[in-house]
Amino acid sequence: MLNGSKLFISGADKADYALLFARTSDDPGRNGVTAFIVDTDTPGFNVRRVVHTLRATRYATELEFTDMRVPESHVLGEVNGGFGIANDRLSRQRIPYAAGCLGPAIMAQEMAIDWARSRETFGSALAEKQAVQWMIVDNEIDIRHGRWCVLEAAQKADRGERFRTEAAMAKLVASEAAGRVVDRCIQIHGGIGVTKDLPLERWYRELRIRRIGEGPSEVQRLIMARDILGGSFK
């Protein structure tokens, strides 16, 4: 019988089933969590509310579980062995999540380059202004750095090698770098950059969220520190 709540779950109001992690022992650590597969029409599974965020077209939900009975056959893996499943899922998901951050950054860079070449101010194109040139170059550095991290993590995962550090680094670098790129591209476009005539402001909001989703930047740094230095840090 499960009781509790969970905030910031995407798609819960439309899903037929859910992967649910719950504490099933008095062990306060990672060994006291079990993974379950549950049907969302199970009595006690409730979508408490829709949570709107910076995103314009997507939203999250808050879930509430009240005396929800789940049979033993719905346990995924072993009882009290759910942490390993969650950890593997999170590490793997961070790679495509990071790749998804780079798409808007690459497109924003292309838009900024086209705009800089065509837009003239004070008798010359923006592309001839050193301040704009440096922003374009910094964008390229951020994009290539993020892409390299994503490809390295994906390659290690594909080979079956350990990739937790690389996945954490890819998510951290790509999400933060992409945010900087879109921010610079808005700056290059000037006033038109913050209007809804262009997708830049929407990408800016989306990428701000991605510094938190799949584990915030601070958690990624903690994961890498554990792997590099060893031990467990608070």
Side-chain angles (χ1 to χ4, degrees), residues 190-208:
I192 193 68
V194 297
T195 69
K196 294 187 181 297
D197 292 352
L198 300 179
L200 294 172
E201 59 85 25
R202 175 168 56 84
W203 294 341
Y204 183 83
R205 288 183 282 114
E206 171 69 20
L207 288 169
R208 182 61 185 87

Side-chain angles (χ1 to χ4, degrees), residues 83-97:
F83 180 84
I85 295 173
N87 192 41
D88 180 74
R89 179 265 173 196
L90 285 171
S91 294
R92 291 185 184 280
Q93 180 60 23
R94 285 173 183 137
I95 300 174
Y97 192 91

Side-chain angles (χ1 to χ4, degrees), residues 108-212:
Q109 171 78 329
E110 292 175 358
M111 291 173 60
I113 291 172
D114 289 343
W115 179 257
R117 287 171 173 169
S118 61
R119 174 64 170 168
E120 291 191 4
T121 61
F122 304 103
S124 63
L126 285 178
E128 298 181 23
K129 309 293 196 286
Q130 188 180 66
V132 173
Q133 294 172 357
W134 285 9
M135 282 192 281
I136 294 293
V137 169
D138 287 342
N139 282 351
E140 197 66 26
I141 292 171
D142 274 336
I143 290 170
R144 296 192 186 197
H145 185 194
R147 182 188 289 126
W148 183 86
C149 289
V150 168
L151 291 176
E152 183 187 30
Q155 184 182 56
K156 285 201 168 187
D158 189 56
R159 289 177 174 175
E161 302 173 6
R162 289 178 59 87
F163 63 90
R164 187 172 70 168
T165 296
E166 287 76 15
M169 186 178 296
K171 194 274 175 181
L172 170 70
V173 171
S175 62
E176 294 194 349
R180 291 192 298 267
V181 169
V182 173
D183 182 72
R184 294 189 196 104
C185 291
I186 290 176
Q187 194 72 14
I188 292 171
H189 279 82
I192 193 68
V194 297
T195 69
K196 294 187 181 297
D197 292 352
L198 300 179
L200 294 172
E201 59 85 25
R202 175 168 56 84
W203 294 341
Y204 183 83
R205 288 183 282 114
E206 171 69 20
L207 288 169
R208 182 61 185 87
I209 289 177
R210 285 181 171 260
R211 284 164 51 192
I212 297 173

Side-chain angles (χ1 to χ4, degrees), residues 45-66:
F45 186 105
N46 301 303
V47 178
R48 181 184 291 173
R49 66 186 176 110
V50 169
V51 182
H52 294 286
T53 63
L54 285 171
R55 287 170 165 167
T57 58
R58 298 184 182 181
Y59 59 87
T61 60
E62 181 180 8
L63 304 182
E64 183 176 32
F65 309 99
T66 306

Side-chain angles (χ1 to χ4, degrees), residues 29-43:
R30 63 186 61 183
N31 295 324
V33 176
T34 300
F36 301 89
I37 297 178
V38 301
D39 295 318
T40 56
D41 59 358
T42 302

